Amino acid sequence: MPVIAPMPAPRTTRIPSSREGADGTIAAGTTVDHLTETYRAHYRSLLGLAALLLDDTASCEDVVQEAFIRVHSARSRVRDPEKTLAYLRQTVVNLSRSALRRRILGLKLLSKPMPDMASAEEGAYDQLERDALIKAMRGLQRRQREVLVLRYFADMTEAQVAQTLGISLGSVKAYGSRGIAALRIAMEATV
């Protein structure tokens, strides 16, 4: 980015500064009159430039205001007052690009569905299926229901289910297969 110095302002229109010397002279780069004049003369054109790059008025105004703030902050380093407008234009373009990058990133993050996020319709169908499964599970014999719940919902092995229920491994397998067959019939009847 070019380094630009503000043009010293006439003494009658300057803004007093705390950097004034004892003799009333002003140190170079401490007045803001040139920037004020640039603001008055070129604000609308800079707003138009931002409007070509961005889509809403509020963002355009924010970008142009931020550009003037940045130029004002760097006014002590600005060497050539003729380049102030060019510096402002480049700052508006850069800030507009940054705003667009933030928007695109935000849209990318929002457009990706969460991994476990289902649509409302899918959620309704899932709820109906869960309700049908719970109803079908209640229709099973007590031991079949216990074996299936421990095996598939509690994620236990057949040996752990046998130990938990105090029955043999063969009984766990038999109750499990009969329970799944009964569930399959009950679930097909609801479809």
Side-chain angles (χ1 to χ4, degrees), residues 133-150:
L133 178 63
I134 290 170
K135 184 178 178 183
M137 288 287 287
R138 288 184 180 140
L140 295 177
Q141 295 177 2
R142 182 180 55 88
R143 278 288 186 204
Q144 290 174 346
R145 185 173 51 246
E146 290 171 349
V147 167
L148 291 179
V149 167
L150 292 175

Side-chain angles (χ1 to χ4, degrees), residues 59-81:
S59 295
C60 296
E61 290 172 350
D62 289 344
V63 162
V64 173
Q65 291 296 327
E66 181 66 25
F68 274 100
I69 290 169
R70 289 187 182 192
V71 171
H72 179 272
S73 298
R75 72 185 187 279
S76 62
R77 296 177 291 164
V78 177
R79 294 185 189 141
D80 186 2

Side-chain angles (χ1 to χ4, degrees), residues 65-117:
Q65 291 296 327
E66 181 66 25
F68 274 100
I69 290 169
R70 289 187 182 192
V71 171
H72 179 272
S73 298
R75 72 185 187 279
S76 62
R77 296 177 291 164
V78 177
R79 294 185 189 141
D80 186 2
E82 301 297 319
K83 293 185 180 177
T84 302
L85 183 58
Y87 184 77
L88 280 165
R89 285 182 181 141
Q90 187 62 48
T91 305
V92 167
V93 170
N94 290 342
L95 290 171
S96 297
R97 286 178 184 161
S98 295
L100 289 173
R101 276 193 296 269
R102 282 191 303 274
R103 283 185 193 171
I104 290 169
L105 180 62
L107 290 174
K108 283 181 182 178
L109 293 175
L110 286 177
S111 65
K112 289 183 181 177
M114 297 302 285
D116 295 349
M117 190 177 191

Side-chain angles (χ1 to χ4, degrees), residues 12-33:
T12 58
T13 59
R14 70 173 175 78
I15 297 173
S17 172
S18 61
R19 295 187 218 176
E20 280 188 24
D23 60 351
T25 60
I26 300 171
T30 58
T31 63
V32 293
D33 287 338

Side-chain angles (χ1 to χ4, degrees), residues 148-159:
L148 291 179
V149 167
L150 292 175
R151 179 76 176 101
Y152 297 105
F153 293 102
D155 203 29
M156 291 183 172
T157 64
E158 289 175 338

